């Protein structure tokens, strides 16, 4: 089971701001490891949206932003658009796991 | 352009074996760690296994340890996942992904299209 907890779903009207939380622990986010965020559109492979807590790859709109504090991280989407309807996953590194890498439980963003 | 092409998926009976491959192109394969991530139908992403760029270090989720083996052939630019003692709960789309680093850390910068593994009698 995942050790990074996200809300199952969030929703908002076009143009609104939504945030997705990612809650970890002292062995992952709280240990200082970076958090990365992925967007998965229906039927497609995930795509990196935010890396290293706050950085956007080239081509990702600045409507997407990331932050991290303590044992949690957040993804914010401002000016929500219809094409933002997708599943979003946080991911970090966990020194307590043999696999070392861990994904969040995932959040479905619905644009009303 | 970086490309990852997964293959080898299919239908297998419980207890059976299957080998997935991921052909990489567009970058120096041996310079990057590679990983397998799976997604069961209607479920979230689950990290499965990873291997360092030189193949010297491997990582496995507890759910697949001792049943799955990850390997790579840097001369063929190909990543493999040998899956054994397959269970119904292993049924998923398996994605190969390229890290941003040769060893641990980093993030999954590039993803393949996925290979569907169906475990059923």
């Amino acid at each position: 089971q995942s050790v990074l907890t996200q809300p199952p779903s969030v929703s908002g009207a076009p143009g609104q701001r939504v945030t997705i939380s990612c809650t970890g622990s002292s062995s992952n986010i709280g240990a200082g490891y970076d958090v990365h965020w992925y967007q998965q559109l229906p039927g497609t492979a995930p795509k990196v949206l935010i890396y290293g807590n706050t950085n956007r790859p080239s081509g990702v709109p600045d409507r997407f932003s990331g932050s991290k504090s303590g044992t949690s991280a957040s993804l914010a989407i401002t000016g929500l658009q219809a094409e933002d309807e997708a599943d979003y996953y946080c991911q970090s590194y966990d020194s307590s796991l043999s696999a070392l890498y861990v994904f969040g439980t995932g959040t479905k963003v619905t644009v009303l | 352009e970086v490309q990852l092409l997964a293959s080898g998926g299919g239908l297998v009976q419980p207890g059976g074996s299957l080998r997935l491959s991921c052909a990489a192109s567009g970058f120096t394969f041996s310079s990057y760690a590679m990983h397998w991530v799976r997604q069961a139908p209607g479920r979230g992403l689950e990290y499965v296994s990873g291997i360092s760029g030189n193949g010297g270090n491997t990582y496995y989720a507890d759910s697949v340890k001792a049943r799955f083996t990850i390997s790579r052939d840097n001369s063929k630019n190909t990543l493999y996942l040998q899956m054994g003692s397959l269970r119904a709960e292993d049924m998923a789309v398996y994605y190969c992904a390229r890290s941003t680093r040769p060893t641990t850390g980093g993030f999954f910068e590039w993803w393949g299209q996925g290979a569907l593994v169906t475990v059923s009698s």
Side-chain angles (χ1 to χ4, degrees):
Chain A
Q1 70 279 15
S2 176
V3 297
L4 300 182
T5 302
Q6 300 177 231
S9 64
V10 298
S11 62
Q16 285 191 330
R17 179 178 187 269
V18 297
T19 62
I20 301 169
S21 60
C22 174
T23 303
S25 67
S26 58
S27 63
N28 43 67
I29 299 174
Y33 297 119
D34 286 341
V35 177
H36 318 291
W37 291 89
Y38 302 86
Q39 177 193 59
Q40 187 177 33
L41 297 170
T44 69
K47 177 188 88 167
V48 60
L49 202 62
I50 297 288
Y51 68 92
N53 307 313
T54 60
N55 303 291
R56 282 188 312 276
S58 173
V60 172
D62 60 6
R63 302 183 290 104
F64 295 92
S65 63
S67 64
K68 174 189 161 186
S69 178
T71 57
S72 296
S74 290
L75 173 72
I77 311 173
T78 56
L80 195 62
Q81 298 185 6
E83 62 255 36
D84 299 333
E85 188 159 291
D87 294 321
Y88 294 82
Y89 297 89
C90 59
Q91 179 255 311
S92 188
Y93 187 91
D94 192 309
S95 56
S96 72
L97 300 176
S98 59
L100 300 179
Y101 301 86
V102 62
F103 286 95
T105 49
T107 299
K108 169 69 176 180
V109 169
T110 301
V111 182
L112 302 173
Chain B
E1 181 192 2
V2 172
Q3 288 195 338
L4 300 173
L5 185 61
S7 62
L11 174 64
V12 61
Q13 293 187 338
S17 300
L18 202 63
R19 188 178 82 159
L20 302 181
S21 300
C22 175
S25 61
F27 63 98
T28 303
F29 186 64
S30 60
S31 295
Y32 298 91
M34 297 292 296
H35 304 271
W36 290 98
V37 176
R38 69 184 180 185
Q39 186 170 37
R43 306 295 294 273
L45 301 175
E46 180 188 12
Y47 183 81
V48 174
S49 182
I51 186 168
S52 59
N54 64 7
N57 295 96
T58 57
Y59 328 102
Y60 297 94
D62 287 342
S63 58
V64 306
K65 201 179 296 183
R67 298 189 299 121
F68 291 10
T69 301
I70 191 171
S71 62
R72 62 191 297 160
D73 186 333
N74 286 347
S75 68
K76 295 183 178 179
N77 291 349
T78 303
L79 173 72
Y80 302 100
L81 185 68
Q82 180 68 47
M83 304 183 292
S85 302
L86 283 161
R87 308 165 179 168
E89 55 264 36
D90 295 318
M91 185 162 66
V93 173
Y94 285 73
Y95 296 102
C96 55
R98 196 203 83 173
S99 175
T100 51
R101 301 179 63 174
T103 56
T104 57
F107 60 95
F108 308 117
E109 187 174 22
W110 296 96
W111 296 69
Q113 87 288 6
L116 176 62
V117 173
T118 303
V119 183
S120 176
S121 55

